[in-house]
Amino acid sequence: MARARTAGTAARRGGDRDSVTPSVNSGLRVTAAYAWRLLVLGAAAYACFKILGRLQLVAVALFLALVVTSVLRPAANLLARWVPRGVAAAVSLVGSLVVVLGLLALVGSLVAGESDRLSQEFAGGVGRIERWLEGSPFHVDHTALANFQDKVTAYLSQHRSALLSSALSGAGRLLEVLTAAVLALFCSLFFILSGERFWHWFQGLLPESARESWDRAGRAAWRTFAGYTRGIIIVAATNAVLVGVALSLLGVPLAMPLTLLEFFAAFVPLVGSPVALGVATVVALASRGPVVAVVVLALIVVIGQLEGHVLHPLVLSWAVRLHPVVVALSVIAGGVLAGVIGAVVAVPMVSVAWSVFGALRGPPVPASPDPRTPDKPHH
């Protein structure tokens, strides 16, 4: 009897507690569920970035190897119809390397051949810039300009040791760049030669139930990455040709090196091309005067409009479907996290992540029966 009364009392107390317990709004429960999952994903992403920061040299080499593979694999596939696969991979890789090194040698010879004339033009250009600043509409005092030159000279003489150490540090950085380039070429040779085998070997390590999802995600990631890489090379080459022709017609010195700078700078969307053209504007101002410099400055607007409204929609829309705001935020975030390297890799990484997300959300796509299909992931 006492035990029954105790049980009844406990039941009533539990009922009282249930009656006073406030119900949690369903929207809040859903938000909390998403919040802790996003926190876990954020922690995982942070850990990945820390690991990549520690292994930056290896990560950059692998990224470059994937870029080289995406560009040269179609040529290797074409050559493999007539020669063995290994020979096709070696010929495509060595041939492209010879072309790049020859282009760099040509630029170096042009700069060395014009060094004397360029030094005289720049010396006279500095005087023209001073006279331009002293005139209308700026009316800068000549004494202020002379004091500015004296301050620059004094700064260079006082910080000579720091500049020398920076140069030595840059030499060490150059050695790291060469190491990454050699490692990238080594990896890209095997990716071009036997990328399918790497992918099938990796799939064999996964549980059988997960292989289909990983295959879908891998095919989508590679299709997006290869499309973005080839597209951005077309965009960069188009920008470089337009800039090179314009600088040659305007008589700006160092047109070929500035064209090459524009080509590489275009790999950073929205930011790289204006920076390269800004350098060209400074060279034009020092060598050809303010009128030509204004014309080169106008190229920034023209190239930006052409790149944003014509080239990107035509060349990259089928591979990368990102809003310009997302592209800008990705470039800025990548630059903050990892400098120039982060700004370069940010957009392809975000594009690949978005394509993988879309592939996993959508219905399964039947895999191609041919393992050598271009849509097959080769990394």
Side-chain angles (χ1 to χ4, degrees), residues 160-179:
R160 188 177 303 171
S161 59
L163 295 174
L164 181 60
S165 64
S166 299
L168 295 176
S169 175
R173 195 67 175 175
L174 179 61
L175 181 60
E176 293 182 0
V177 170
L178 293 177
T179 304

Side-chain angles (χ1 to χ4, degrees), residues 121-148:
E121 287 188 359
F122 280 121
V126 171
R128 285 196 298 270
I129 293 174
E130 290 181 355
R131 290 191 296 272
W132 178 53
L133 292 176
E134 292 173 3
S136 178
F138 299 101
H139 300 290
V140 179
D141 187 14
H142 178 75
T143 306
L145 293 176
N147 292 336
F148 177 75

Side-chain angles (χ1 to χ4, degrees), residues 96-357:
S96 61
L97 185 62
V98 169
V99 171
V100 172
L101 292 179
L103 185 60
L104 293 177
L106 176 62
V107 171
S109 64
L110 289 176
V111 174
E114 297 182 2
S115 58
D116 294 335
R117 183 175 68 86
L118 289 175
S119 61
Q120 295 176 0
E121 287 188 359
F122 280 121
V126 171
R128 285 196 298 270
I129 293 174
E130 290 181 355
R131 290 191 296 272
W132 178 53
L133 292 176
E134 292 173 3
S136 178
F138 299 101
H139 300 290
V140 179
D141 187 14
H142 178 75
T143 306
L145 293 176
N147 292 336
F148 177 75
Q149 291 183 357
D150 294 339
K151 289 180 180 179
V152 171
T153 305
Y155 177 84
L156 293 177
S157 61
Q158 293 174 2
H159 298 81
R160 188 177 303 171
S161 59
L163 295 174
L164 181 60
S165 64
S166 299
L168 295 176
S169 175
R173 195 67 175 175
L174 179 61
L175 181 60
E176 293 182 0
V177 170
L178 293 177
T179 304
V182 172
L183 182 58
L185 292 176
F186 179 78
C187 294
S188 60
L189 177 62
F190 288 97
F191 290 166
I192 297 173
L193 181 63
S194 55
E196 299 91 351
R197 279 184 285 175
F198 286 149
W199 179 245
H200 293 316
W201 170 81
F202 173 75
Q203 282 187 304
L205 301 177
L206 300 172
E208 190 171 355
S209 60
R211 292 175 186 175
E212 191 272 336
S213 298
W214 276 87
D215 187 61
R216 261 195 299 155
R219 283 189 288 114
W222 179 251
R223 184 168 56 249
T224 300
F225 182 84
Y228 176 84
T229 303
R230 296 164 190 165
I232 200 67
I233 288 176
I234 294 174
V235 172
T238 305
N239 289 354
V241 169
L242 294 176
V243 170
V245 171
L247 294 180
S248 299
L249 293 177
L250 293 172
V252 177
L254 299 177
M256 178 65 74
L258 292 173
T259 301
L260 194 62
L261 176 63
E262 168 65 25
F263 175 78
F264 287 111
F267 284 88
V268 183
L270 304 178
V271 177
S273 185
V275 171
L277 287 174
V279 176
T281 302
V282 174
V283 174
L285 180 62
S287 59
R288 305 292 295 172
V291 176
V292 176
V294 170
V295 175
V296 176
L297 191 64
L299 282 176
I300 298 178
V301 180
V302 175
I303 295 295
Q305 294 296 316
L306 181 65
E307 182 180 347
H309 294 88
V310 178
L311 295 178
H312 276 278
L314 287 178
V315 179
L316 292 176
S317 61
W318 64 273
V320 181
R321 295 177 178 87
L322 295 178
H323 194 276
V325 174
V326 177
V327 174
L329 293 178
S330 301
V331 172
I332 294 173
V336 170
L337 291 174
V340 177
I341 296 175
V344 172
V345 306
V347 176
M349 286 181 62
V350 173
S351 303
V352 167
W354 182 249
S355 67
V356 169
F357 177 73

